Amino acid sequence: MIDYLIIGSGLAGIAFSEVALQNGKSIFVMDNNSQNSSKIAGGLYNPVILKRFSEVWKAEEQLLLMESFYDAVESKLKTKVDFKKPILRKFFSVEEQNNWFAASDKKTLAPFLSTELVTKKYSGIESPYNYGEVLQTGHVDTAVLLKNYREYLLKSGIFAEMPFEYRILEIFSDHIRYKDIEAKNIVFAEGFGMHSNPYFRHLPLDGTKGELFIIKAPELVLDVILNTSVFILPLGNDLFKVGATYNWKEKTDLPTEEGRLELIDRIKEIITCDFEIVEHFAGVRPTVKDRRPLVGTHADYHSIHILNGLGTRGVMLGPSMAKELFNYIENKIPLDKEIDIKRFLPKGQK
């Protein structure tokens, strides 16, 4: 009997797999490769919501854990995935500058917002009002992370690419059985695929479709991540990842003409040089209306757990939420009420 059967190998599934392995637990991971939001994600980590100049929930705690988590993953995979890089917010007015400095005076934001304007001029961008620099930022190459971590699991004999059939899951008082696998626990980390899960589909997981480009812009010279209405992430060789859109109605992984036009308009607001669209991606992020993850254990089946709803900040949230769930299962440490799925139970059942 193994300790954990993990369904899903996106950012949530990988985070829980790594936490379990670091703690000496035996695992097996299954994925049907139907969800691609982690694979195509921008992968940015940023402790500040730049639209409103407010702090990301528990940002300091997440950043601290995230750094040691990705250090360990890089050492295990012998592959670089975490790239520390400044994020600059382009200002479009004096009022935006003033809002930035007002935000930087707040105790929770002071560690993350530089009080010195960045006046550097970048080829291909007009910036008469300069930039603000966010500190402790960068990006995780999610495509490389997912590919290499799955290969590591496969070489270790603990990964299978196959669909999960809920109807044949057998549940006992202290373990589960799935085909020839017996495990003390099963963790569902399926992203938007949770809507097919009979044990958790009652939870209010919403899907937010995001579309991204890879563009080629030889005249754009940028050694930082630019984040305004969209982010522009330099990839090298005159290539840049640009995104993302937010569509709460459509729930497919197919790029749309509407998304293409929106991204083109946003890019033209920021850069002044020509660009060519090399690739156009789309994916559905697993989001929750209260902007908190879905973490916890099924009300009736104590061996069935969920780690989901990481939304747009999966690279930051994943390690800390995986640790919270692991400690809850193994050490009976109560979950933060803001992430516990019990928050959606009727009042009398909480």
Side-chain angles (χ1 to χ4, degrees), residues 231-243:
F231 67 81
I232 302 178
L233 169 66
L235 301 175
N237 299 317
D238 301 327
L239 296 174
F240 302 84
K241 183 181 276 191
V242 182

Side-chain angles (χ1 to χ4, degrees), residues 327-345:
N327 282 333
Y328 175 65
I329 298 168
E330 295 290 337
N331 304 315
K332 306 297 183 249
I333 298 173
L335 291 167
D336 186 314
K337 290 179 180 178
E338 289 193 70
I339 66 169
D340 194 334
I341 57 172
K342 288 178 184 173
R343 70 190 188 271
F344 298 113
L345 285 172

Side-chain angles (χ1 to χ4, degrees), residues 114-280:
S114 172
T115 54
E116 292 184 19
L117 287 176
V118 175
T119 58
K120 182 176 177 178
K121 301 303 177 188
Y122 293 98
S123 176
I125 305 172
E126 289 181 0
S127 54
Y129 300 100
N130 300 310
Y131 309 90
E133 181 181 350
V134 189
L135 308 174
Q136 302 184 52
T137 59
H139 76 101
V140 171
D141 190 327
T142 55
V144 169
L145 170 65
L146 267 59
K147 177 178 177 289
N148 283 270
Y149 205 92
R150 287 174 185 175
E151 285 176 1
Y152 161 77
L153 293 172
L154 196 59
K155 285 176 185 174
S156 303
I158 52 174
F159 179 81
E161 187 172 320
M162 63 174 67
F164 185 82
E165 299 175 69
Y166 303 99
R167 62 183 176 79
I168 61 173
L169 177 64
E170 296 178 79
I171 306 165
F172 303 94
S173 60
D174 60 351
H175 70 286
I176 60 94
R177 182 188 295 135
Y178 183 77
K179 297 184 177 179
D180 59 348
I181 298 172
E182 285 193 300
K184 294 175 185 174
N185 299 280
I186 182 168
V187 174
F188 288 105
E190 304 158 292
F192 191 62
M194 189 200 81
H195 285 285
S196 300
N197 187 323
Y199 301 101
F200 293 112
R201 63 183 170 211
H202 63 283
L203 293 172
L205 183 76
D206 197 7
T208 309
K209 181 170 182 171
E211 300 190 44
L212 300 94
F213 286 161
I214 303 292
I215 64 169
K216 185 161 191 172
E219 296 170 52
L220 179 60
V221 180
L222 200 60
D223 58 357
V224 296
I225 302 165
L226 204 59
N227 197 340
T228 54
S229 57
V230 291
F231 67 81
I232 302 178
L233 169 66
L235 301 175
N237 299 317
D238 301 327
L239 296 174
F240 302 84
K241 183 181 276 191
V242 182
T245 62
Y246 292 83
N247 184 331
W248 284 268
K249 293 178 181 177
E250 192 177 333
K251 314 293 183 186
T252 73
D253 289 340
L254 300 174
T256 65
E257 181 64 11
E258 180 187 2
R260 190 181 77 87
L261 293 174
E262 181 182 340
L263 280 175
I264 289 171
D265 286 345
R266 296 274 184 89
I267 294 167
K268 287 180 176 178
E269 288 173 356
I270 301 166
I271 69 175
T272 55
C273 58
D274 292 333
F275 61 92
E276 169 195 352
I277 301 167
V278 178
E279 291 184 82
H280 182 184

